[in-house]
Amino acid sequence: MLQSPPRLAQVYYAPGEEIIAYGESCSLGKTVMYLLVAGNASVILAHGDEVAQIKSGALVGEGGALGIANKRSTKIGAWKAGMVRLIRLQGLSIGKAVQRCPEDCKALELQFQQRSQKNAAAEAIRKEWIAKSVIPLLKGCQILNGFSTKLVSKIAAPLLKTSFAAGQDMFVAGDSADSMIVIVDGEAEARCKEGKVVARLSTGAVTGELAVLGLLSFRTATFTACRQSDTVVISSANLRQVLQSSEAASKHLDKLAEERRTQIDRGFPALSLPVGASNDVCSRTIALHATRYILAPGETWKIPDNAL
């Protein structure tokens, strides 16, 4: 194997491993950059969206190393298809090169600016999608009902679009569960372990609230996309972290969980119907998944479209 010149080091990264961290401070003469020799690298925005692939032969991290940016504006990670090999250029050497040949750095500065513009455009598109498509659905979600727009926006801000092709499972019965999923655009079928279709969900539907409330630790059905479907996933941990800023919202979730536990203990709604049901595991399972609606005097109950 040929040895690299002085102050150059060959480095290797495993699939998905972080090469450059988002927000890392940078300065000319101290910050490193890389030459991508083999494999590809992924450009990932602050909230986790992958917006581009850097191919072999390209420089990685030149903006921070050349002193153009004082912080890393994106995360760079190794692609997931295999190992990535790079040559690491040390900051001290880069600083001396810039001092001796400042004019030669203008092309690299232009390249960095073009990348930054593309990244900014991609982030603007993501924010518009969150504002127009995701936030309105979250405000209609039962467990977030009554939350302020500001608080719902904080919950939505880090969410990523997760897409499923037709026939692809969103999750499988028996899988561990600590999140809820919102169908932003699409359709899905829910099947029990025996394979029978027990529900159909469409745009705006939410499933997994019980996991977020801490009432279930596993998936009770397999959800499969019927067509190309875009979703967002909200984990219990992330939701609780956001709600630390709102004591009222946290108490609201705790109250919902306690009301559902009471509903299970009493076997509602099965035991309130004249069907001769007993307070057994079947009645309690129905109670676990039953949604209670509270109507004001004179209010008309409208069945949600995605529940039909």
Side-chain angles (χ1 to χ4, degrees), residues 43 93 125 183 217 256 258 262 279:
V43 181
S93 299
I125 292 172
I183 299 178
S217 60
L256 284 179
E258 185 57 35
T262 300
N279 195 3

Side-chain angles (χ1 to χ4, degrees), residues 114-290:
Q114 290 173 341
R115 282 186 186 172
S116 297
Q117 289 172 357
K118 289 181 179 179
N119 294 341
E123 178 64 5
I125 292 172
R126 192 192 75 85
K127 287 182 177 179
E128 183 179 15
W129 179 74
I130 289 288
K132 291 184 176 181
S133 300
V134 177
I135 290 177
L137 295 181
L138 294 186
K139 293 183 72 173
C141 175
Q142 188 196 25
I143 70 171
L144 305 181
N145 187 32
F147 285 12
S148 67
T149 300
K150 181 179 180 180
L151 187 56
V152 174
S153 298
K154 286 180 67 175
I155 294 170
L159 298 181
L160 303 177
K161 180 190 293 186
T162 303
S163 298
F164 296 91
Q168 185 178 359
D169 290 338
M170 296 178 176
F171 48 74
V172 177
D175 285 353
S176 60
D178 64 351
S179 62
M180 67 181 193
I181 188 168
V182 182
I183 299 178
V184 181
D185 181 24
E187 296 177 6
E189 288 183 340
R191 289 182 168 82
C192 62
K193 289 184 177 181
E194 292 72 27
K196 181 180 178 180
V197 175
V198 294
R200 298 180 188 275
L201 295 86
S202 58
T203 297
V206 182
T207 184
E209 303 103 311
L210 297 177
V212 170
L213 291 174
L215 299 173
L216 270 182
S217 60
F218 60 91
R219 304 296 184 187
T220 57
T222 296
F223 282 75
T224 305
C226 299
R227 62 176 176 87
Q228 176 72 22
S229 298
D230 297 329
T231 70
V232 290
V233 178
I234 304 175
S235 72
S236 177
N238 289 343
L239 180 60
R240 290 289 181 176
Q241 184 176 10
V242 173
L243 296 187
Q244 287 179 358
S245 63
S246 173
E247 183 179 355
S250 295
K251 287 183 176 179
H252 170 73
L253 286 193
D254 293 338
K255 181 182 177 182
L256 284 179
E258 185 57 35
E259 288 176 347
R260 188 61 66 93
R261 291 188 185 97
T262 300
Q263 182 172 297
I264 295 167
D265 290 340
R266 295 180 178 178
F268 289 164
L271 294 186
S272 63
L273 300 173
V275 294
S278 58
N279 195 3
D280 56 13
V281 66
C282 294
S283 294
R284 293 189 176 200
T285 300
I286 293 171
L288 175 65
H289 291 281

